[in-house]
Amino acid sequence: MGAYVITGGKSLSGKIRVQGSKNSSLPILASTLLNAGKNVIKDVPNLKDIKVMTDILEKLGAKVSKSGNILEMDSSNVNIWEVPEDLMREMRSSIVLMGPLLGRFKKVRVSYPGGCEIGPRPIDLHLKGLSLMGATLREKHGFIYAEAPALRGADIHLDFPSVGATENLMMAGVLANGKTIIRNAAKEPEIVDLQNFLNRMGAHIKGAGTDTIKIDGCGSDELKPVEDYTVIPDRIVAGTYLVAAAITRGQVTLKNVVLEHMEPILAKLRETGCKLECCDDCINLTADTTLRSLDSLRTLPYPGFPTDMQAPMMALLATVEGTSILTETVFENRFKHAEELRRMGAHITINGNTAIIKGVRKLTGAIVEAKDLRAGAALVIAALAAEGETTVYGSSHVERGYERLEDNLSSLGAEIVKKK
């Protein structure tokens, strides 16, 4: 198990460019199965999860070539519709392969997906939607089989605005007969990015970014390869670096951001007293004053405050004056970092899905362990501000979502090294 070793107490200062979005790249890569051609996707981050997705696509028969952050994905020779179980278990997002495989091959077999253990994330919404589109589903020995001689358009109402289910059903709807309507759809920027990519391919989709998405199905002969597409910047990575600057009471400028996507995070950072200057695709954060606690911070589906930023914000709030109330409404079991932060001197009480955080004057270095991706980011952030040395075990979790985290933080003045 790899680890980050961090000596805290250094104010971050400088500029960095934000990587492309992991959560956009994964469904976009999956969607290349639909057009059976050579696609070129730019600004794909070099991450463990991306490697798992490209490994799956190669096992299915795709040809993948990589040059820096540019991926060339040729799915013309894909002829397998069964996703390898060992790879499926490595990453929850692999479930989004169901829609495009079912659309292209009329059948698909997957196992239940793995990923971070942050509470139940049932795939019922995916299966219910595919069933309404005419898929026959069977579950046996831990595998899910779906078959549909011809997917048909359907009017689908999601019980919860699930990002994964919205993406899966959008991709399934591309080659379905007739019109598919997804109501109570997720509104995340990554959904809009997927719509833009699919439409560039020749699909007919509108409404992404609102709660109703409409897809007019088309024939496979209408779809063409996408020869040049750049994914959106990663808003969670951007938020993480802003929080890292705030906790070290530093000054950092981020390049390659979409300000609109960042607004829920920026609003809460402003509330704590951080100074923010925004222009075009840049954000400058300065935290040179005493920061304030937050009376209420609730995670919500977009455009609410993102659940993926809850753990990093908890680390920051542990170091500000006063008491903050943080409520997690999206995922159960997403407070595993609280116990590790307490090892560093944080004063955090958990009551159900609410964390009560009393700010302390100083966190102290300790040996801690990342239990999931965002918890790992939170512990690294806490370590940047802590007195003395902190060892954060579980760097492999963090590498699932952050490209060259230690290099970027070092370039801003942090004292951090990664050990195997």
Side-chain angles (χ1 to χ4, degrees):
M1 184 191 289
Y4 296 107
V5 180
I6 300 152
T7 304
K10 309 279 168 60
S11 281
L12 299 191
S13 175
K15 291 183 182 179
I16 52 170
R17 182 186 184 278
V18 175
Q19 69 192 52
S21 168
K22 175 190 90 149
N23 290 337
S24 265
S25 298
L26 291 169
I28 284 173
L29 290 173
S31 76
T32 62
L33 291 166
L34 288 166
N35 64 23
K38 189 184 285 186
N39 302 270
V40 179
I41 305 160
K42 296 179 177 174
D43 217 7
V44 178
N46 186 16
L47 302 170
K48 232 174 97 176
D49 275 11
I50 300 293
K51 177 75 167 62
V52 173
M53 180 61 84
T54 55
D55 284 352
I56 291 173
L57 291 168
E58 284 184 311
K59 287 278 173 70
L60 297 177
K63 284 177 71 176
V64 181
S65 59
K66 186 173 180 293
S67 174
N69 292 106
I70 300 172
L71 272 183
E72 198 173 276
M73 185 73 58
D74 185 348
S75 64
S76 51
N77 293 319
V78 170
N79 55 9
I80 297 170
W81 46 270
E82 297 171 301
V83 180
E85 182 183 7
D86 56 333
L87 293 171
M88 187 92 188
R89 291 188 182 281
E90 282 190 43
M91 184 181 65
R92 176 137 203 112
S93 302
S94 52
I95 194 67
V96 298
L97 289 158
M98 279 193 84
L101 284 171
L102 194 54
R104 179 165 167 186
F105 294 108
K106 316 303 181 195
K107 52 188 174 182
V108 61
R109 187 192 82 160
V110 296
S111 64
Y112 281 91
C116 283
E117 294 177 13
I118 55 175
R121 292 190 280 179
I123 58 170
D124 311 11
L125 298 178
H126 303 244
L127 304 182
K128 188 174 166 187
L130 293 172
S131 177
L132 287 170
M133 296 176 77
T136 304
L137 299 161
R138 286 182 295 131
E139 297 178 53
K140 201 172 180 182
H141 306 307
F143 288 95
I144 303 161
Y145 298 82
E147 202 167 345
L151 283 173
R152 59 176 185 267
D155 197 321
I156 302 163
H157 186 283
L158 296 177
D159 295 330
F160 177 83
S162 157
V163 173
T166 301
E167 291 167 343
N168 229 341
L169 298 172
M170 280 172 72
M171 290 187 276
V174 169
L175 292 176
N177 295 324
K179 184 188 281 282
T180 299
I181 301 174
I182 306 168
R183 304 185 192 276
N184 196 28
K187 303 175 190 173
E188 272 72 2
E190 295 78 15
I191 303 286
V192 180
D193 211 20
L194 177 62
Q195 171 183 277
N196 292 343
F197 184 80
L198 291 169
N199 284 346
R200 283 276 296 276
M201 191 189 287
H204 310 291
I205 308 172
K206 58 185 180 184
T210 75
D211 59 8
T212 304
I213 297 174
K214 296 178 180 178
I215 306 128
D216 286 318
C218 63
S220 56
D221 55 339
E222 294 178 61
L223 300 182
K224 59 187 185 298
V226 180
E227 293 174 357
D228 184 355
Y229 191 86
T230 303
V231 300
I232 58 172
D234 196 308
R235 61 197 170 97
I236 305 302
V237 168
T240 301
Y241 285 123
L242 292 176
V243 171
I247 202 170
T248 63
R249 309 306 190 255
Q251 180 175 2
V252 166
T253 299
L254 301 184
K255 295 177 288 183
N256 191 42
V257 292
V258 178
L259 295 175
E260 185 188 347
H261 300 171
M262 298 297 299
E263 198 45 53
I265 300 166
L266 300 183
K268 286 301 175 185
L269 287 171
R270 284 191 195 98
E271 224 178 291
T272 66
C274 293
K275 294 174 189 165
L276 291 155
E277 294 172 28
C278 304
C279 65
D280 299 331
D281 67 343
C282 291
I283 299 172
N284 177 272
L285 179 141
T286 307
D288 55 5
T289 57
T290 302
L291 299 185
R292 300 182 292 273
S293 57
L294 297 178
D295 292 339
S296 173
L297 175 62
R298 293 175 69 83
T299 65
L300 289 164
Y302 190 84
F305 189 87
T307 179
D308 281 351
M309 280 301 301
Q310 177 256 104
M313 278 298 284
M314 184 184 285
L316 172 62
L317 295 174
T319 70
V320 306
E321 285 186 10
T323 300
S324 300
I325 309 294
L326 193 161
T327 307
E328 174 58 62
T329 73
V330 180
F331 290 128
E332 298 171 32
N333 232 8
R334 205 168 195 179
F335 283 146
K336 292 182 179 177
H337 45 283
E339 186 181 338
E340 301 301 299
L341 288 169
R342 283 196 287 258
R343 292 177 193 269
M344 301 176 71
H347 194 303
I348 302 167
T349 306
I350 303 297
N351 183 4
N353 68 338
T354 299
I356 300 156
I357 307 151
K358 291 183 181 174
V360 297
R361 189 171 291 277
K362 204 66 160 169
L363 296 173
T364 52
I367 295 172
V368 292
E369 184 183 345
K371 304 289 173 69
D372 62 65
L373 165 56
R374 306 303 173 185
L379 296 174
V380 168
I381 285 170
L384 294 172
E387 213 166 54
E389 186 177 277
T390 300
T391 301
V392 181
Y393 283 101
S395 60
S396 59
H397 282 301
V398 181
E399 288 165 346
R400 287 187 46 233
Y402 296 88
E403 185 176 46
R404 296 172 39 246
L405 178 68
E406 66 279 10
D407 295 341
N408 282 325
L409 289 173
S410 294
S411 76
L412 297 173
E415 202 171 314
I416 174 172
V417 292
K418 193 174 80 179
K419 295 191 172 175
K420 290 187 177 179

